[in-house]
Amino acid sequence: MQTAMASVSTFIAMFIIMLAAMSSGILVAYANTEFISRTCNKTNNTALCIAVLTTKPQSAHASTEHDLARIALELTIDTAKHNVKVINDLDKKKQSKPKAFALAICLKAYTEATSALEIYAVSNFQMGSYPSTLANVSFAMGASDTCKKAFKRIGKESPVSYIDREMIEHCSVASNLINLLVRK
């Protein structure tokens, strides 16, 4: 009987501890969501900013605008790398000559964007050279436009328009958040 009572007591104690832990986690998550929301309200597109940042779990732990700008920059780098892979995969599927040529232009643009972000933007950001970081992000954003123009020139619909849009969105959010640091 005492063993059963002890296990019930242990169960209740564990339940209370888990409930308390979950409650504090909810409060922390709420507080961080509030911080993200307040910060994103300072940007040109609040909804997009929140949507992009909340895709990265590290955003929940950010406590400064600098943290959120760094996370947005990381997301932009991830997007550029992902786009290189997608375009490479499409290129391997033996596209027609005009499409293959347009994809080659896209691949070059996104490869250069990835390098600009990984090498220059990260370095500039770490040094606090936010205007230079913005220039690097702007350059990377241009990859989507280059790709779009390559397909327009051959009169074909771009098979990568969705990743072009994502690149523009992520670069835009990163630029808006980095801009908050320039003003300081």
Side-chain angles (χ1 to χ4, degrees), residues 13-33:
M14 293 290 284
F15 179 76
I16 291 171
I17 290 169
M18 285 179 31
L19 189 60
M22 286 174 34
S23 296
S24 68
I26 290 170
L27 291 174
V28 169
Y30 175 75
N32 289 331
T33 302

Side-chain angles (χ1 to χ4, degrees), residues 37-106:
S37 180
R38 273 194 324 272
T39 303
C40 286
N41 276 332
K42 299 174 187 176
T43 67
N44 295 338
N45 190 335
T46 303
L48 178 63
C49 179
I50 292 169
V52 168
L53 286 174
T54 55
T55 63
K56 195 96 165 164
Q58 296 99 305
S59 297
H61 304 290
S63 59
T64 65
E65 290 175 352
H66 186 272
D67 291 343
L68 290 177
R70 180 186 44 76
I71 290 166
L73 182 58
E74 289 169 5
L75 272 165
T76 303
I77 293 167
D78 293 346
T79 302
K81 286 179 175 179
H82 170 76
N83 293 359
V84 167
K85 288 178 188 174
V86 168
I87 294 166
N88 254 331
D89 289 344
L90 283 171
D91 198 33
K92 289 177 184 174
K93 292 182 180 177
K94 308 263 191 259
Q95 303 288 327
S96 67
K97 283 198 185 219
K99 273 191 175 179
F101 183 70
L103 283 171
I105 291 170
C106 292

Side-chain angles (χ1 to χ4, degrees), residues 131-151:
S132 296
T133 308
L134 284 170
N136 302 136
V137 172
S138 179
F139 172 81
M141 189 187 300
S144 60
D145 193 42
T146 299
C147 194
K148 190 183 307 179
K149 285 178 183 175
F151 279 95

Side-chain angles (χ1 to χ4, degrees), residues 82-177:
H82 170 76
N83 293 359
V84 167
K85 288 178 188 174
V86 168
I87 294 166
N88 254 331
D89 289 344
L90 283 171
D91 198 33
K92 289 177 184 174
K93 292 182 180 177
K94 308 263 191 259
Q95 303 288 327
S96 67
K97 283 198 185 219
K99 273 191 175 179
F101 183 70
L103 283 171
I105 291 170
C106 292
L107 183 59
K108 183 177 187 293
Y110 276 107
T111 300
E112 289 174 354
T114 301
S115 294
L117 291 168
E118 284 185 313
I119 297 168
Y120 301 109
V122 169
S123 175
N124 286 326
F125 187 81
Q126 289 170 345
M127 291 186 308
S129 180
Y130 304 123
S132 296
T133 308
L134 284 170
N136 302 136
V137 172
S138 179
F139 172 81
M141 189 187 300
S144 60
D145 193 42
T146 299
C147 194
K148 190 183 307 179
K149 285 178 183 175
F151 279 95
K152 190 174 184 178
R153 262 186 252 132
I154 62 168
K156 302 283 183 188
E157 179 128 358
S158 172
V160 294
S161 59
Y162 66 99
I163 64 173
D164 287 337
R165 186 187 78 249
E166 188 176 67
M167 185 68 177
I168 290 170
E169 290 173 351
H170 289 188
C171 285
S172 175
V173 169
S175 292
N176 281 307
L177 291 169

Side-chain angles (χ1 to χ4, degrees), residues 2-15:
Q2 280 184 330
T3 306
M5 294 276 281
S7 57
V8 168
S9 296
T10 303
F11 174 77
I12 291 172
M14 293 290 284
F15 179 76

